[in-house]
Every structure is written in C-alpha cells, then in structure tokens.
Amino acid sequence: MKLTANFSLSEFQCKCGCEMPDNVLENIKLLAENLQMLRMFVKKPITVNSAYRCLKHNRIIGSNDTSQHPKGKAADIKVKGIKPNEIANIAEQLMDKGLFKIGGVGRYKTFTHIDIRGKKARW
C-alpha cells in the first residue's frame, strides 16, 4: 500500500511480522506524510530503520512501553550522505516553521528518531 509519493506501508511495519492495528495505521499515515515533507526538503531518499513496533517486539529490543513506536507515531531514519545530527536539525526547522507536526527528535550516532507526539521532546 502506497502511503505517499515515496513511502509504502511495508517500510513502517513491525519487524516481527504482526498485523498493524487500524488506529496505528492512521498514525503511520500522518507520520509518512511528515516524512515525505522532510524528503522533499532534503531531496534524497529516506531509509526507515524502524517505525511501528508492537509492544512485544518493542520490549524484546529493550525499549519502554511509553515509546512512540507502538503508537505508530515514530520512525528511526537515516539519509545517505547526511549525518543524523543534520537530519535532526532540519526536522526541527520544519517543525518550527509549521511544515512538520511537532514532536520528538532524538539524535543518535547512526540514525535520527523522529516522532509526531504533538509536543516537543528532544534528546
């Protein structure tokens, strides 16, 4: 299923292979729309390392139950040729300009966490 011009539902599925609940799918659609805006801005493909994670899978990888991933509101991404910190800065700029839903931005060595929780969170 195509979610945007450049993102498909398969990129956002839980790695354990479980079925995504309908309410999570609605969040994933909004997340994909926001990531599409980021992609248009950087003019490069975005790789989604992890997006929706069921609670069971989320716990197996050591994440907590308050994570935005089980809600379908978060993605860990990378963009070839752009450092994760730069992607985080761009996402923050888009949020500040109202072009991206306000949410969390996590800076990691090999990826950037982006979420659409509706309030600002940074780490």
Side-chain angles (χ1 to χ4, degrees), residues 16-77:
C16 80
C18 67
E19 188 171 330
M20 183 184 294
D22 290 340
N23 64 320
V24 170
L25 178 57
E26 291 309 308
N27 291 334
I28 287 293
K29 288 176 182 177
L30 181 58
L31 178 62
E33 289 168 12
N34 281 268
L35 291 176
Q36 183 66 42
M37 176 61 68
L38 179 62
R39 188 189 192 283
M40 289 169 33
F41 191 84
V42 299
K43 297 180 174 84
K44 290 185 170 203
I46 293 173
T47 300
V48 178
N49 294 340
S50 178
Y52 169 64
R53 298 192 298 239
C54 67
L55 279 175
K56 181 179 178 183
H57 183 71
N58 201 52
R59 290 172 184 151
I60 287 170
I61 66 163
S63 189
N64 62 49
D65 288 359
T66 60
S67 167
Q68 296 297 304
H69 288 275
K71 299 172 186 172
K73 292 185 175 186
D76 297 334
I77 63 169

Side-chain angles (χ1 to χ4, degrees), residues 108-122:
Y108 294 90
K109 188 175 182 174
T110 59
F111 66 92
T112 307
H113 169 98
I114 304 285
D115 71 53
I116 55 169
R117 69 181 68 196
K119 63 181 180 180
K120 188 174 180 176
R122 302 292 182 268

